Amino acid sequence: MNLAAATNENLAHISNVLIYSSMAVYLLAFFAHMAEWVFGSRSKVGRTAAALVQKGAGTAAAGSVKVQVKEKSGGTAVLERPSVVTRAVSGARDVPDGPGASAGDEQGDLYGRIAVSLTVLAFLVEASGVLTRALSVERAPWGNMYEFNITFSTVAVAVYLGLMLAKKNIGWLGLPLVTTVLLDLGLAVTVLYTASDQLVPALHSYWLYIHVSTAIFCGAVFYVGAVSTLLYLFRDAYENKLATGGTPGKFATSVMERLPAAASLDKFSYRVNAAVFPLWTFTIIAGAIWAGDAWGRYWGWDPKETWAFITWVAYACYLHARATAGWKGRKAAYLALIAFGCWLFNYYGVNIFVTGKHSYAGV
């Protein structure tokens, strides 16, 4: 074994160690996020929300509310509804956003800060693992499903942290994101792991950097949009139940009262999906140009190409429906989740279960 080969093998080993290390830190971040939600449920916000439900407040959650509770001394105190960030929204309800996972609880807020710090640390470690993998193979680390997975999870966390830096109300994404990243990396290191190797000649092109990098970034943003859409459906059902005089359970109340309003989640998911859709269009066009260079034809209805186009159509239908009055809200949200499901199948299903021209790299 020559020196270069030995160096590359050592770098590949270091990359594996870094990926496993990032998983350990992500696990700590997961527990910290859980602690933030647990302590937040015991806060004044949680108690007030529970009191509102017990009093049959219904639509009272839409504004500033006072709730009477008995003190130990036998007197009566008035609890002001905690301050929350409100947003002007169009629609039947104008509901304030919840205060976040910590719900203003000091311990909850401390654990939330620890969780974000650990997420940043895990991101840096994982990004170092991806970079080291690239150095070990002397190319972009996107030649197989293992490399795609570790890069995708890294970019997804980068999108989350970027939105945090931009002061967006995105703290609610921390727990589902870290959970997903752990599952993604667990799948990568067990089922999808592939030893460092060189690419087939068709992949030796600058289009690898353009086409695959944009596909990864689009997937990460689509993921953020899908999570916010799913939470929108839960929050919207919760608000509907309150509006009709229903009584949600204590757990649902504790969680849902701390999330952004349904209208805010709906607006956020629409904006992120709409913002990245043109880039997904470019991704497909770039792939077609690369196919023309590599295989002598721009489009051949290969399974990967077909499902990329199906995903494009699904998101186009969602964006069109979202702009149509009769399809706003839950109907459009279902379309968004179907579109992300198409992207997931294109990501996992086509590579693992379907044979085509994109199967040369294996999993």
Side-chain angles (χ1 to χ4, degrees), residues 84 107 118 124 130 191 296 322 355:
V84 293
Q107 279 187 299
L118 288 171
L124 294 175
V130 173
V191 178
R322 184 61 175 71
T355 300

Side-chain angles (χ1 to χ4, degrees), residues 153-184:
S153 57
T154 304
V155 175
V157 176
V159 171
Y160 164 70
L161 295 177
L163 291 170
M164 292 280 286
L165 287 175
K167 306 297 184 183
K168 300 298 182 181
N169 182 17
I170 198 71
W172 45 267
L173 181 61
L175 182 58
L177 173 72
V178 171
T179 304
T180 306
V181 168
L182 281 170
L183 293 173
D184 181 76

